[in-house]
Amino acid sequence: KNIGFVTLLFAGTTSLTSFKYSIFIDTVIKLKQWSLSAGNPLIFSLLYILYVVKLLKVEPQRLYATKLYLTLYCSNNEAITENVKAITIHNSKHLKPLSDIQFGHYLAGLIDGDGHFSSQQQLVIVFSSSDISLAYYLKERIGYGQIRKVKNKNAYLFIISKKDGVIKVINLINCKLRTLNKYNQVINNILNHQDYSNLKENIVFNLNYDNNFYNHWLAGFSDADASFQIKIVNKPNRNKPEIRLNYQIDQKNKDILLLIKEFFGGNIGYRKSQDTYYYGSTSFGAANKVIKYFDEYHLQSNKYINYLKWRKAYVLIQNKDHLYEIGINKIIKLKNSMNSFNKDVI
């Protein structure tokens, strides 16, 4: 289909044979595959133009046709960067979810990731010690809960045991949870318990089946389960390292990951040794979408600092700073500071 599209646009061009068409298509595809990492889009564009103009001797007025093919091919494979709106260097003011609806989506995402409703009719959410302030924020916002240190572990538990507190949470997250496991916990451990019979009669508790992620759910889920990665790959045949930006989520079940892939683009893989699936925003275009989301719906844990460093690396690449040693050094410094929660390099 794509080859036919190019052939039609080049109708009447005598300087290209069908053999050269085949070479052209194969070369564009190979260059595109090579440019999937964030560090190569400019090189891809330059080599593409050189190949078409110099080797195939395409007349300048015919470049429009090959440009259309490139746009068609790459837009279907998430590698094109020319039409990606630039990300500003400025960070927006960090905000917490304002309304109960926004907070409910965030809380549902956090519970879907790191929380559970126990058989003792409790809500329990696990936090690392570096995110203890987020646990206290939840306690203040909900108005219920206790925070306990996990013995011999670098973790804390936020626990809501009081019935009124659990009921408040159920109302906040109704129609906002997305994982079947957590939904079943609400039904079996809370609503089906005799102490909550009145609540069960007065509420219809449902999952969120909507594919719309323009809310705080993914921010909460990412605070629980996501990571922002800056990878620097040195290859023997290249003078400069390859920079890869990856937003990754690991799960036992891939259903949620499929929805996230549909929203951001990217890829899903499987680790047989761990029996887990993982989502990765492997392309520059997918990273752009990730940034646009988290610039609007803010992370509340210390991952927000990692996100800002990851975002800054993206801007450096976007501005072509990674093509020079000073830019690479800035990205290396950002990578080395990940998980240190040091804001000095942002």
PDB file of all heavy atoms in Angstrom, residues 80-103:
ATOM      1  N   ILE A  80       8.140   9.822  13.852  1.00  0.00           N
ATOM      2  CA  ILE A  80       8.326  11.148  13.290  1.00  0.00           C
ATOM      3  C   ILE A  80       8.372  12.195  14.386  1.00  0.00           C
ATOM      4  O   ILE A  80       7.644  12.126  15.365  1.00  0.00           O
ATOM      5  CB  ILE A  80       7.214  11.476  12.276  1.00  0.00           C
ATOM      6  CG1 ILE A  80       7.624  12.670  11.434  1.00  0.00           C
ATOM      7  CG2 ILE A  80       5.882  11.715  12.928  1.00  0.00           C
ATOM      8  CD1 ILE A  80       6.802  12.818  10.179  1.00  0.00           C
ATOM      9  N   THR A  81       9.250  13.160  14.266  1.00  0.00           N
ATOM     10  CA  THR A  81       9.368  14.203  15.275  1.00  0.00           C
ATOM     11  C   THR A  81       9.067  15.576  14.720  1.00  0.00           C
ATOM     12  O   THR A  81       8.917  16.520  15.477  1.00  0.00           O
ATOM     13  CB  THR A  81      10.791  14.224  15.866  1.00  0.00           C
ATOM     14  OG1 THR A  81      11.718  14.515  14.812  1.00  0.00           O
ATOM     15  CG2 THR A  81      11.144  12.904  16.508  1.00  0.00           C
ATOM     16  N   GLU A  82       8.949  15.715  13.406  1.00  0.00           N
ATOM     17  CA  GLU A  82       8.798  17.030  12.803  1.00  0.00           C
ATOM     18  C   GLU A  82       7.482  17.690  13.200  1.00  0.00           C
ATOM     19  O   GLU A  82       7.395  18.898  13.303  1.00  0.00           O
ATOM     20  CB  GLU A  82       8.889  16.903  11.279  1.00  0.00           C
ATOM     21  CG  GLU A  82      10.261  16.397  10.829  1.00  0.00           C
ATOM     22  CD  GLU A  82      10.193  15.750   9.469  1.00  0.00           C
ATOM     23  OE1 GLU A  82       9.140  15.845   8.830  1.00  0.00           O
ATOM     24  OE2 GLU A  82      11.182  15.161   9.046  1.00  0.00           O
ATOM     25  N   ASN A  83       6.432  16.880  13.365  1.00  0.00           N
ATOM     26  CA  ASN A  83       5.128  17.442  13.682  1.00  0.00           C
ATOM     27  C   ASN A  83       4.817  17.415  15.182  1.00  0.00           C
ATOM     28  O   ASN A  83       3.693  17.659  15.581  1.00  0.00           O
ATOM     29  CB  ASN A  83       4.037  16.674  12.917  1.00  0.00           C
ATOM     30  CG  ASN A  83       4.183  16.855  11.416  1.00  0.00           C
ATOM     31  OD1 ASN A  83       4.584  17.917  10.957  1.00  0.00           O
ATOM     32  ND2 ASN A  83       3.870  15.816  10.659  1.00  0.00           N
ATOM     33  N   VAL A  84       5.802  17.060  15.997  1.00  0.00           N
ATOM     34  CA  VAL A  84       5.618  17.044  17.441  1.00  0.00           C
ATOM     35  C   VAL A  84       5.792  18.449  17.983  1.00  0.00           C
ATOM     36  O   VAL A  84       6.812  19.089  17.749  1.00  0.00           O
ATOM     37  CB  VAL A  84       6.639  16.093  18.111  1.00  0.00           C
ATOM     38  CG1 VAL A  84       6.544  16.197  19.624  1.00  0.00           C
ATOM     39  CG2 VAL A  84       6.389  14.663  17.665  1.00  0.00           C
ATOM     40  N   LYS A  85       4.793  18.937  18.678  1.00  0.00           N
ATOM     41  CA  LYS A  85       4.868  20.290  19.221  1.00  0.00           C
ATOM     42  C   LYS A  85       5.958  20.372  20.268  1.00  0.00           C
ATOM     43  O   LYS A  85       6.080  19.523  21.145  1.00  0.00           O
ATOM     44  CB  LYS A  85       3.521  20.679  19.832  1.00  0.00           C
ATOM     45  CG  LYS A  85       3.458  22.135  20.276  1.00  0.00           C
ATOM     46  CD  LYS A  85       2.072  22.492  20.788  1.00  0.00           C
ATOM     47  CE  LYS A  85       2.036  23.952  21.237  1.00  0.00           C
ATOM     48  NZ  LYS A  85       0.690  24.318  21.755  1.00  0.00           N
ATOM     49  N   ALA A  86       6.763  21.419  20.185  1.00  0.00           N
ATOM     50  CA  ALA A  86       7.906  21.568  21.082  1.00  0.00           C
ATOM     51  C   ALA A  86       7.454  21.730  22.528  1.00  0.00           C
ATOM     52  O   ALA A  86       6.434  22.361  22.818  1.00  0.00           O
ATOM     53  CB  ALA A  86       8.752  22.770  20.656  1.00  0.00           C
ATOM     54  N   ILE A  87       8.220  21.146  23.424  1.00  0.00           N
ATOM     55  CA  ILE A  87       7.979  21.268  24.858  1.00  0.00           C
ATOM     56  C   ILE A  87       8.756  22.479  25.378  1.00  0.00           C
ATOM     57  O   ILE A  87       9.940  22.627  25.112  1.00  0.00           O
ATOM     58  CB  ILE A  87       8.423  19.994  25.605  1.00  0.00           C
ATOM     59  CG1 ILE A  87       7.602  18.781  25.133  1.00  0.00           C
ATOM     60  CG2 ILE A  87       8.309  20.177  27.119  1.00  0.00           C
ATOM     61  CD1 ILE A  87       6.125  18.851  25.436  1.00  0.00           C
ATOM     62  N   THR A  88       8.074  23.342  26.121  1.00  0.00           N
ATOM     63  CA  THR A  88       8.732  24.519  26.671  1.00  0.00           C
ATOM     64  C   THR A  88       9.723  24.129  27.762  1.00  0.00           C
ATOM     65  O   THR A  88       9.527  23.130  28.469  1.00  0.00           O
ATOM     66  CB  THR A  88       7.705  25.508  27.239  1.00  0.00           C
ATOM     67  OG1 THR A  88       8.401  26.607  27.861  1.00  0.00           O
ATOM     68  CG2 THR A  88       6.821  24.851  28.280  1.00  0.00           C
ATOM     69  N   ILE A  89      10.762  24.919  27.903  1.00  0.00           N
ATOM     70  CA  ILE A  89      11.764  24.649  28.935  1.00  0.00           C
ATOM     71  C   ILE A  89      11.228  24.961  30.326  1.00  0.00           C
ATOM     72  O   ILE A  89      11.719  24.464  31.333  1.00  0.00           O
ATOM     73  CB  ILE A  89      13.050  25.466  28.664  1.00  0.00           C
ATOM     74  CG1 ILE A  89      14.209  24.942  29.530  1.00  0.00           C
ATOM     75  CG2 ILE A  89      12.814  26.955  28.892  1.00  0.00           C
ATOM     76  CD1 ILE A  89      15.540  25.555  29.169  1.00  0.00           C
ATOM     77  N   HIS A  90      10.172  25.764  30.396  1.00  0.00           N
ATOM     78  CA  HIS A  90       9.646  26.205  31.687  1.00  0.00           C
ATOM     79  C   HIS A  90       8.708  25.154  32.286  1.00  0.00           C
ATOM     80  O   HIS A  90       7.845  24.611  31.591  1.00  0.00           O
ATOM     81  CB  HIS A  90       8.900  27.529  31.530  1.00  0.00           C
ATOM     82  CG  HIS A  90       9.751  28.617  30.955  1.00  0.00           C
ATOM     83  ND1 HIS A  90      10.813  29.173  31.639  1.00  0.00           N
ATOM     84  CD2 HIS A  90       9.715  29.242  29.743  1.00  0.00           C
ATOM     85  CE1 HIS A  90      11.390  30.096  30.884  1.00  0.00           C
ATOM     86  NE2 HIS A  90      10.742  30.157  29.729  1.00  0.00           N
ATOM     87  N   ASN A  91       8.865  24.889  33.568  1.00  0.00           N
ATOM     88  CA  ASN A  91       7.975  23.971  34.280  1.00  0.00           C
ATOM     89  C   ASN A  91       6.787  24.735  34.838  1.00  0.00           C
ATOM     90  O   ASN A  91       6.928  25.859  35.327  1.00  0.00           O
ATOM     91  CB  ASN A  91       8.723  23.296  35.440  1.00  0.00           C
ATOM     92  CG  ASN A  91       9.948  22.535  34.974  1.00  0.00           C
ATOM     93  OD1 ASN A  91       9.907  21.873  33.941  1.00  0.00           O
ATOM     94  ND2 ASN A  91      11.038  22.635  35.709  1.00  0.00           N
ATOM     95  N   SER A  92       5.622  24.109  34.767  1.00  0.00           N
ATOM     96  CA  SER A  92       4.437  24.737  35.349  1.00  0.00           C
ATOM     97  C   SER A  92       4.478  24.609  36.869  1.00  0.00           C
ATOM     98  O   SER A  92       5.169  23.748  37.418  1.00  0.00           O
ATOM     99  CB  SER A  92       3.168  24.074  34.804  1.00  0.00           C
ATOM    100  OG  SER A  92       3.172  22.683  35.058  1.00  0.00           O
ATOM    101  N   LYS A  93       3.761  25.476  37.546  1.00  0.00           N
ATOM    102  CA  LYS A  93       3.711  25.436  39.011  1.00  0.00           C
ATOM    103  C   LYS A  93       3.123  24.111  39.480  1.00  0.00           C
ATOM    104  O   LYS A  93       2.112  23.653  38.976  1.00  0.00           O
ATOM    105  CB  LYS A  93       2.865  26.598  39.532  1.00  0.00           C
ATOM    106  CG  LYS A  93       2.780  26.660  41.049  1.00  0.00           C
ATOM    107  CD  LYS A  93       1.913  27.834  41.509  1.00  0.00           C
ATOM    108  CE  LYS A  93       1.795  27.864  43.033  1.00  0.00           C
ATOM    109  NZ  LYS A  93       0.938  28.987  43.489  1.00  0.00           N
ATOM    110  N   HIS A  94       3.790  23.495  40.466  1.00  0.00           N
ATOM    111  CA  HIS A  94       3.331  22.202  40.960  1.00  0.00           C
ATOM    112  C   HIS A  94       2.043  22.370  41.751  1.00  0.00           C
ATOM    113  O   HIS A  94       1.959  23.182  42.679  1.00  0.00           O
ATOM    114  CB  HIS A  94       4.390  21.552  41.841  1.00  0.00           C
ATOM    115  CG  HIS A  94       4.026  20.165  42.266  1.00  0.00           C
ATOM    116  ND1 HIS A  94       3.731  19.832  43.565  1.00  0.00           N
ATOM    117  CD2 HIS A  94       3.894  19.022  41.549  1.00  0.00           C
ATOM    118  CE1 HIS A  94       3.449  18.550  43.636  1.00  0.00           C
ATOM    119  NE2 HIS A  94       3.536  18.029  42.438  1.00  0.00           N
ATOM    120  N   LEU A  95       1.017  21.604  41.365  1.00  0.00           N
ATOM    121  CA  LEU A  95      -0.293  21.707  41.996  1.00  0.00           C
ATOM    122  C   LEU A  95      -0.767  20.340  42.466  1.00  0.00           C
ATOM    123  O   LEU A  95      -0.426  19.305  41.892  1.00  0.00           O
ATOM    124  CB  LEU A  95      -1.322  22.277  41.011  1.00  0.00           C
ATOM    125  CG  LEU A  95      -1.075  23.692  40.476  1.00  0.00           C
ATOM    126  CD1 LEU A  95      -2.089  24.016  39.395  1.00  0.00           C
ATOM    127  CD2 LEU A  95      -1.133  24.711  41.600  1.00  0.00           C
ATOM    128  N   LYS A  96      -1.574  20.361  43.510  1.00  0.00           N
ATOM    129  CA  LYS A  96      -2.244  19.148  43.976  1.00  0.00           C
ATOM    130  C   LYS A  96      -3.642  19.112  43.371  1.00  0.00           C
ATOM    131  O   LYS A  96      -4.181  20.146  42.974  1.00  0.00           O
ATOM    132  CB  LYS A  96      -2.315  19.137  45.508  1.00  0.00           C
ATOM    133  CG  LYS A  96      -0.938  19.090  46.169  1.00  0.00           C
ATOM    134  CD  LYS A  96      -1.054  18.917  47.669  1.00  0.00           C
ATOM    135  CE  LYS A  96       0.327  18.909  48.316  1.00  0.00           C
ATOM    136  NZ  LYS A  96       1.170  17.793  47.832  1.00  0.00           N
ATOM    137  N   PRO A  97      -4.264  17.919  43.270  1.00  0.00           N
ATOM    138  CA  PRO A  97      -5.633  17.841  42.762  1.00  0.00           C
ATOM    139  C   PRO A  97      -6.559  18.751  43.573  1.00  0.00           C
ATOM    140  O   PRO A  97      -6.582  18.680  44.798  1.00  0.00           O
ATOM    141  CB  PRO A  97      -5.995  16.367  42.943  1.00  0.00           C
ATOM    142  CG  PRO A  97      -4.689  15.655  42.990  1.00  0.00           C
ATOM    143  CD  PRO A  97      -3.732  16.603  43.638  1.00  0.00           C
ATOM    144  N   LEU A  98      -7.312  19.606  42.901  1.00  0.00           N
ATOM    145  CA  LEU A  98      -8.095  20.624  43.601  1.00  0.00           C
ATOM    146  C   LEU A  98      -9.452  20.107  44.061  1.00  0.00           C
ATOM    147  O   LEU A  98      -9.808  20.205  45.219  1.00  0.00           O
ATOM    148  CB  LEU A  98      -8.260  21.854  42.695  1.00  0.00           C
ATOM    149  CG  LEU A  98      -6.950  22.553  42.302  1.00  0.00           C
ATOM    150  CD1 LEU A  98      -7.241  23.713  41.344  1.00  0.00           C
ATOM    151  CD2 LEU A  98      -6.218  23.054  43.536  1.00  0.00           C
ATOM    152  N   SER A  99     -10.228  19.550  43.157  1.00  0.00           N
ATOM    153  CA  SER A  99     -11.590  19.122  43.495  1.00  0.00           C
ATOM    154  C   SER A  99     -11.597  17.693  44.016  1.00  0.00           C
ATOM    155  O   SER A  99     -10.622  16.944  43.870  1.00  0.00           O
ATOM    156  CB  SER A  99     -12.485  19.216  42.258  1.00  0.00           C
ATOM    157  OG  SER A  99     -12.107  18.236  41.295  1.00  0.00           O
ATOM    158  N   ASP A 100     -12.711  17.298  44.622  1.00  0.00           N
ATOM    159  CA  ASP A 100     -12.862  15.908  45.081  1.00  0.00           C
ATOM    160  C   ASP A 100     -12.848  14.931  43.907  1.00  0.00           C
ATOM    161  O   ASP A 100     -12.384  13.793  44.047  1.00  0.00           O
ATOM    162  CB  ASP A 100     -14.158  15.753  45.875  1.00  0.00           C
ATOM    163  CG  ASP A 100     -14.027  16.247  47.310  1.00  0.00           C
ATOM    164  OD1 ASP A 100     -12.885  16.545  47.729  1.00  0.00           O
ATOM    165  OD2 ASP A 100     -15.057  16.351  48.004  1.00  0.00           O
ATOM    166  N   ILE A 101     -13.358  15.366  42.754  1.00  0.00           N
ATOM    167  CA  ILE A 101     -13.349  14.499  41.574  1.00  0.00           C
ATOM    168  C   ILE A 101     -11.911  14.255  41.128  1.00  0.00           C
ATOM    169  O   ILE A 101     -11.505  13.107  40.880  1.00  0.00           O
ATOM    170  CB  ILE A 101     -14.176  15.125  40.433  1.00  0.00           C
ATOM    171  CG1 ILE A 101     -15.662  15.138  40.802  1.00  0.00           C
ATOM    172  CG2 ILE A 101     -13.963  14.356  39.130  1.00  0.00           C
ATOM    173  CD1 ILE A 101     -16.556  15.802  39.774  1.00  0.00           C
ATOM    174  N   GLN A 102     -11.118  15.319  41.048  1.00  0.00           N
ATOM    175  CA  GLN A 102      -9.711  15.171  40.668  1.00  0.00           C
ATOM    176  C   GLN A 102      -8.964  14.313  41.689  1.00  0.00           C
ATOM    177  O   GLN A 102      -8.197  13.411  41.319  1.00  0.00           O
ATOM    178  CB  GLN A 102      -9.049  16.549  40.566  1.00  0.00           C
ATOM    179  CG  GLN A 102      -9.556  17.407  39.419  1.00  0.00           C
ATOM    180  CD  GLN A 102      -8.978  18.808  39.460  1.00  0.00           C
ATOM    181  OE1 GLN A 102      -8.471  19.267  40.482  1.00  0.00           O
ATOM    182  NE2 GLN A 102      -9.060  19.516  38.339  1.00  0.00           N
ATOM    183  N   PHE A 103      -9.178  14.602  42.957  1.00  0.00           N
ATOM    184  CA  PHE A 103      -8.503  13.844  44.005  1.00  0.00           C
ATOM    185  C   PHE A 103      -8.948  12.382  43.984  1.00  0.00           C
ATOM    186  O   PHE A 103      -8.141  11.472  44.218  1.00  0.00           O
ATOM    187  CB  PHE A 103      -8.786  14.459  45.375  1.00  0.00           C
ATOM    188  CG  PHE A 103      -8.170  13.693  46.510  1.00  0.00           C
ATOM    189  CD1 PHE A 103      -6.799  13.661  46.696  1.00  0.00           C
ATOM    190  CD2 PHE A 103      -8.972  12.978  47.402  1.00  0.00           C
ATOM    191  CE1 PHE A 103      -6.223  12.939  47.738  1.00  0.00           C
ATOM    192  CE2 PHE A 103      -8.415  12.258  48.445  1.00  0.00           C
ATOM    193  CZ  PHE A 103      -7.040  12.234  48.614  1.00  0.00           C
TER     194      PHE A 103
END
